[in-house]
């Protein structure tokens, strides 16, 4: 199946995308997002606030990550605002994934080749904090047509990462 080893993964070219988790409480969601980041060779996963890290919750995260936590580069920040500030200082375009006035759909967003991006996904109940949204460059919102107007954070991450991958990776 031409799978990369962890060492090959570390050396491979990455999707120019950093995924930031703002207070994601479920260890299984964190593990699932690690696995999706691995699948699309995301540059890094930044864990913020109450979001668990592999070093503290390895068993639970590993249950869904299945080893991706060893391949995907990750960092921890006490506050998501610190992560956003660090990204912006590096010239990274930061997008909150949230329902907000003025948000755009992933289909209408056109990432530029050669540019780095970060997406911020929020808590399963409260979403991305307003002070974090205020510091982002824009909001992306996945259109929803049912009775609920929210999706599981790991599902949302998968959709968003796929949208970046299909546009930025030569498939």
């Amino acid at each position: 199946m031409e799978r990369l080893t962890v060492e090959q993964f570390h050396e491979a070219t990455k999707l120019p995308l950093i995924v930031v988790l703002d207070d994601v409480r479920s260890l299984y969601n964190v593990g699932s997002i690690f696995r999706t980041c691995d699948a699309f060779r995301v540059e890094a996963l930044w864990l913020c606030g109450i979001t668990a890290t592999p070093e503290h919750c390895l068993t639970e995260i590993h249950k869904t990550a299945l080893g991706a936590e060893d391949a995907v580069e990750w960092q921890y920040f006490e506050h998501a605002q610190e992560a956003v500030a660090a990204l912006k200082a590096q010239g990274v375009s930061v997008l909150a994934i949230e329902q907000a006035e003025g948000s755009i759909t992933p289909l209408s967003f056109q990432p530029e080749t050669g540019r780095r991006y970060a997406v911020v996904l929020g808590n399963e109940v409260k979403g991305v904090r307003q002070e974090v949204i205020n510091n982002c460059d824009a909001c992306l919102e996945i259109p929803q047509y049912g009775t609920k107007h929210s999706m599981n954070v790991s599902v949302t991450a998968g959709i968003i990462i796929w949208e970046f991958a299909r546009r930025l990776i030569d498939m």
Side-chain angles (χ1 to χ4, degrees), residues 54 77 112 168:
F77 291 82
E112 299 172 27
L168 296 174

Side-chain angles (χ1 to χ4, degrees), residues 32-101:
S32 180
I33 294 168
F34 261 106
R35 198 158 147 199
T36 302
C37 288
D38 175 275
F40 293 103
R41 271 194 262 145
V42 166
E43 183 179 325
L45 178 59
W46 289 10
L47 311 169
C48 305
I50 66 166
T51 306
T53 63
E55 64 191 4
H56 294 113
C57 301
L58 181 58
T59 302
E60 294 89 347
I61 290 174
H62 181 74
K63 189 171 188 171
T64 50
L66 298 177
E69 70 279 14
D70 298 326
V72 176
E73 189 74 33
W74 64 271
Q75 272 186 261
Y76 176 78
F77 291 82
E78 189 171 342
H79 302 286
Q81 299 94 305
E82 295 170 11
V84 170
L87 289 162
K88 294 191 89 157
Q90 295 176 31
V92 176
S93 294
V94 183
L95 308 160
I97 310 304
E98 191 58 77
Q99 298 169 357
E101 190 172 320

